[in-house]
Amino acid sequence: MFEHVEDAGDIVMPGMGLQVVFEALRAAKGAPPIVLLHSRFRPAHRAAALERALAAEFTGIVVSTQVIEAGVDISSRTLITELAPWPSIVQRCGRCN
């Protein structure tokens, strides 16, 4: 399932199914490291998860809500997202390089 993950920082940005996606990825055999980020984390937990996701040695998947859409300097080769308003799609596409 994860053989296609070639680079650090693959980002999945689901909305309502965020924790379901996170748990499914985490439970999958051969899963790379996975970080969950959302605005409902307490500030200390969100800061720790963001620090882990942004670490140079991180080579996994970030599952996040819009919390990383603006104000966080992160990019990836792959982005999987739900449908969203056009401005949000443009913002998210700016995370791919």
Side-chain angles (χ1 to χ4, degrees):
M1 176 176 189
F2 293 102
E3 294 174 15
H4 72 282
V5 178
E6 299 173 6
D7 192 22
D10 290 332
I11 302 173
V12 181
M13 296 181 72
M16 296 185 49
L18 178 81
Q19 291 182 339
V20 172
V21 169
F22 174 73
E23 291 299 333
L25 289 171
R26 192 169 71 162
K29 185 177 181 179
I34 301 169
V35 173
L36 176 64
L37 284 166
H38 61 77
S39 62
R40 293 186 180 169
F41 278 171
R42 295 182 184 268
H45 292 134
R46 185 171 53 230
L50 187 57
E51 183 177 326
R52 183 173 171 220
L54 295 176
E57 66 275 1
F58 182 72
T59 59
I61 297 173
V62 177
V63 178
S64 178
T65 61
Q66 297 171 327
V67 75
I68 63 169
E69 226 173 73
V72 177
D73 186 17
I74 190 170
S75 62
S76 75
R77 291 178 51 174
T78 306
L79 172 69
I80 301 168
T81 183
E82 289 184 329
L83 290 176
W86 179 247
S88 294
I89 296 292
V90 170
Q91 182 73 26
R92 293 171 190 182
C93 289
R95 300 292 179 203
C96 285
N97 56 7

